Amino acid sequence: MLNCKASAMFFGIALTLSLAVSRTLAQDGAFSQYRGQLAGFTFQDISVRRALSQLADFYDFNVVASDSVVGNITIDLDGVPWDQALALILRTKNLSARVEGKVLYVAPTNELAEQEYFEVEAMKQAEALAPLVTELLQINYADAEDIMQLLVGERLTRTSPAEDLQTADNAQLNRGVLSIRGSASVDQRTNILIVRDTEEKLEEIRTLLATLDVAVRQVLIEARIVNVEASYGKELGIRWGLGGHIGNSRIGGSQTTTRSLLNSDLAFADAQAEGLIAAETARLEALQNKTDPGLIPAISSLARASVPRPHLDVSFPEALNVDLGLPAASASSIALGYAGDSEFIELELSALESSGNAEVIARPKVTTQDKMLARIQSGVRIPYQSQAGGTAGGSTTEFEEALLSLEVVPQITPDGRINMQLDIRQDSVTPSNGGASAINTNRVTTRALVDDGETIVLGGVFREEVATIEAKTPVLGDLPYVGRLFKRTQRSSRRTELLIFITPKILDKDI
């Protein structure tokens, strides 16, 4: 007895039924796999063919039963989906079913398997006898060589040219799209694929090319490497010295000072002696020339004054007692000095304060296709001498690269975002004290998932350096208050910040 009338058509649950019969109904399925309306069934010793007919009439689907479907069935079910009841009837009598168009065909399992086997064999024979057709397929966007590899697949070598089709099929000579008799070649000049196969396979290949031979979407990747540097320095120093002589004793900031003082005294004494000789010579010449006696003293004085007198010459900063000044030429300074007849004092106070701000922005950008590696580089190659190996000795010139480079492999996700594998590098050349060049390197290697057109920070480095340098004269530099006259102080601070930004953008959204 049937409790209710189904309103759903059979073909609404054809997928569920096909799944059940494809497994030959060998195992119990979960209740959720059946989609039919719940119903009650009571069949008392009626033929299987009649039970199938009643189900088809009641639930409005078409059924054809093989002549081999025989026997009676008794079933009493309540509250089960009707498509599950149908599956139980088929399982009880070792029957299987398959959907052909809008008809459910029911036959014994072994008979249905035998029919399917003969159908497959008939299709193989038809394919073996079908005429081969040659067609030229223009490949527009892809590489024809790559498409040919997809069509041909992996081919094994035949043992003999006369090997029949069944042996060839068992050996799996063709694992691609082409049939066993099919072949393909490429004209690289025109990027045309030459395919020879049956018309059925050619139609399948055309459908495949319509999906594969399309323009690949492109991505523009722009990176910005921002390097910000701020520096501050303050220097304060002093240098002073004295020199002089008391009687035969001389004092100075260094041996150079005392030597200069001695040389100045000797030169001054020599100049005085030469002045006296010049005065006496002028007087004698005036007497011989019978010059007016009243003019002779003046002539003698002029001759003595004509001999130049040397000045005290002391070199700086060698002459200073303490030299703790600033070496920078741009330092501001103030100097005070006192010079007497036999001594001098010099003092110089110098100061320097500097600040600087620098911002370096590098913006490499590159455009590439989806899933294709792109690399852009710009830089210099620095030569250096390398020791040659072997017994010959000598040296060879080699090169080291300092680059600004961007390497990326983008992948466009189905939701319109970009998954990128990135390698960004920024090098800078810095001369070292030894004359050779040093390379400062900033590099980041990462993977990132970014929305189209969105900018994200891949990474950054913040570094701060603070230094205080003090130079002083031992003991004197440690004295309270006065010690400031014997020391130099240098303070500096430096901040650097490196930020790396990345912005991907899909260029051809309409493709």
Side-chain angles (χ1 to χ4, degrees):
M1 173 173 111
L2 301 176
N3 295 336
C4 61
K5 178 71 175 177
S7 58
M9 299 292 292
F10 159 71
F11 301 103
I13 50 84
L15 179 60
T16 302
L17 183 58
S18 176
L19 176 62
V21 300
S22 66
R23 297 176 180 173
T24 322
L25 306 176
Q27 59 183 3
D28 293 333
F31 184 83
S32 59
Q33 81 179 75
Y34 298 102
R35 305 292 181 179
Q37 184 177 358
L38 299 181
F41 303 92
T42 301
F43 295 135
Q44 294 294 334
D45 195 22
I46 65 172
S47 67
V48 176
R49 302 174 66 89
R50 184 176 180 184
L52 293 174
S53 177
Q54 288 188 9
L55 285 175
D57 290 341
F58 198 80
Y59 292 101
D60 197 15
F61 64 88
N62 301 317
V63 63
V64 173
S66 171
D67 293 338
S68 301
V69 177
V70 294
N72 296 340
I73 188 172
T74 297
I75 187 171
D76 188 1
L77 300 174
D78 186 21
V80 298
W82 68 267
D83 50 344
Q84 184 181 10
L86 175 61
L88 291 173
I89 293 175
L90 297 178
R91 184 188 306 177
T92 302
K93 293 300 181 179
N94 292 324
L95 301 176
S96 296
R98 67 179 179 184
V99 178
E100 297 184 2
K102 297 183 179 181
V103 178
L104 180 68
Y105 177 69
V106 179
T109 301
N110 57 351
E111 180 182 331
L112 192 59
E114 186 177 358
Q115 290 178 2
E116 291 178 349
Y117 172 77
F118 285 124
E119 289 177 0
V120 171
E121 290 298 319
M123 291 177 61
K124 290 182 179 179
Q125 292 297 328
E127 182 178 344
L129 298 176
L132 298 179
V133 180
T134 302
E135 185 166 347
L136 305 180
L137 300 175
Q138 178 67 60
I139 308 301
N140 298 317
Y141 302 101
D143 189 343
E145 288 280 356
D146 297 336
I147 298 296
M148 188 186 71
Q149 291 298 322
L150 294 177
L151 300 182
V152 174
E154 299 179 5
R155 289 179 177 265
L156 304 177
T157 304
R158 297 187 181 187
T159 57
S160 65
E163 189 174 23
D164 59 17
L165 295 176
Q166 183 176 0
T167 305
D169 181 62
N170 293 336
Q172 293 183 343
L173 291 177
N174 188 351
R175 298 181 184 178
V177 179
L178 296 177
S179 65
I180 297 175
R181 300 166 60 201
S183 63
S185 59
V186 172
D187 180 22
Q188 296 182 352
R189 185 178 63 87
T190 58
N191 205 42
I192 289 179
L193 187 64
I194 306 170
V195 182
R196 181 174 177 80
D197 211 327
T198 62
E199 183 61 37
E200 182 180 358
K201 281 294 180 181
L202 288 176
E203 182 61 30
E204 184 179 346
I205 293 172
R206 295 189 198 99
T207 304
L208 180 65
L209 290 180
T211 303
L212 297 181
D213 187 24
V214 296
V216 180
R217 304 174 74 180
Q218 299 186 105
V219 182
L220 170 66
I221 298 99
E222 179 180 0
R224 282 179 291 171
I225 306 172
V226 182
N227 197 340
V228 181
E229 179 177 341
S231 61
Y232 174 78
K234 185 177 181 179
E235 300 180 45
L236 180 64
I238 190 171
R239 49 184 159 190
W240 62 275
L242 58 86
H245 57 83
I246 303 175
N248 293 328
S249 301
R250 292 171 179 82
I251 59 174
S254 64
Q255 291 182 356
T256 303
T257 305
T258 57
R259 189 181 303 113
S260 298
L261 292 173
L262 178 60
N263 292 336
S264 297
D265 290 344
L266 295 176
F268 188 79
D270 291 342
Q272 283 184 330
E274 291 178 2
L276 293 174
I277 294 172
E280 184 64 21
T281 302
R283 188 181 66 80
L284 294 176
E285 289 179 354
L287 291 175
Q288 291 176 359
N289 295 331
K290 297 180 180 182
T291 306
D292 184 359
L295 297 177
I296 291 177
I299 294 173
S300 178
S301 297
L302 289 175
R304 183 178 180 181
S306 63
V307 178
R309 300 293 193 274
H311 297 282
L312 180 62
D313 185 14
V314 179
S315 59
F316 286 89
E318 290 83 357
L320 297 177
N321 283 2
V322 177
D323 183 9
L324 293 174
L326 304 182
S330 57
S332 300
S333 63
I334 181 172
L336 300 175
Y338 167 78
D341 294 336
S342 60
E343 69 281 332
F344 67 90
I345 298 175
E346 294 286 345
L347 182 145
E348 182 179 355
L349 179 66
S350 57
L352 175 65
E353 184 172 339
S354 62
S355 62
N357 293 281
E359 183 174 354
V360 179
I361 300 178
R363 300 183 65 177
K365 61 174 65 176
V366 65
T367 301
T368 183
Q369 293 183 346
D370 185 25
K371 301 182 184 69
M372 297 297 294
L373 172 65
R375 181 187 297 112
I376 184 172
Q377 294 180 342
S378 176
V380 296
R381 301 184 67 198
I382 303 173
Y384 66 94
Q385 298 297 320
S386 175
Q387 185 68 34
T391 59
S395 61
T396 60
T397 301
E398 297 185 2
F399 294 87
E400 184 69 23
E401 293 182 336
L403 300 174
L404 170 64
S405 67
L406 168 63
E407 184 175 311
V408 59
V409 180
Q411 179 182 355
I412 303 175
T413 62
D415 58 355
R417 295 192 288 178
I418 301 103
N419 189 9
M420 296 175 293
Q421 182 176 347
L422 293 154
D423 188 353
I424 302 175
R425 173 181 172 185
Q426 183 195 36
D427 298 338
S428 59
V429 182
T430 303
S432 62
N433 296 331
S437 298
I439 299 178
N440 297 328
T441 299
N442 297 310
R443 186 171 185 176
V444 59
T445 301
T446 185
R447 294 183 67 98
L449 180 63
V450 189
D451 291 335
D452 180 22
E454 182 184 33
T455 300
I456 65 169
V457 181
L458 292 182
V461 177
F462 178 80
R463 182 172 57 191
E464 183 176 5
E465 301 175 5
V466 178
T468 300
I469 301 175
E470 187 176 81
K472 61 184 178 181
T473 302
V475 181
L476 297 178
D478 296 327
L479 295 176
Y481 304 108
V482 181
R484 294 183 177 273
L485 298 175
F486 298 91
K487 69 174 60 178
R488 180 180 69 190
T489 304
Q490 178 181 355
R491 295 184 177 90
S492 63
S493 65
R494 182 169 176 261
R495 294 182 179 181
T496 59
E497 186 173 5
L498 174 69
L499 295 174
I500 300 176
F501 302 86
I502 192 75
T503 305
K505 184 178 181 182
I506 301 175
L507 297 181
D508 43 356
K509 296 183 178 181
D510 297 333
I511 294 180

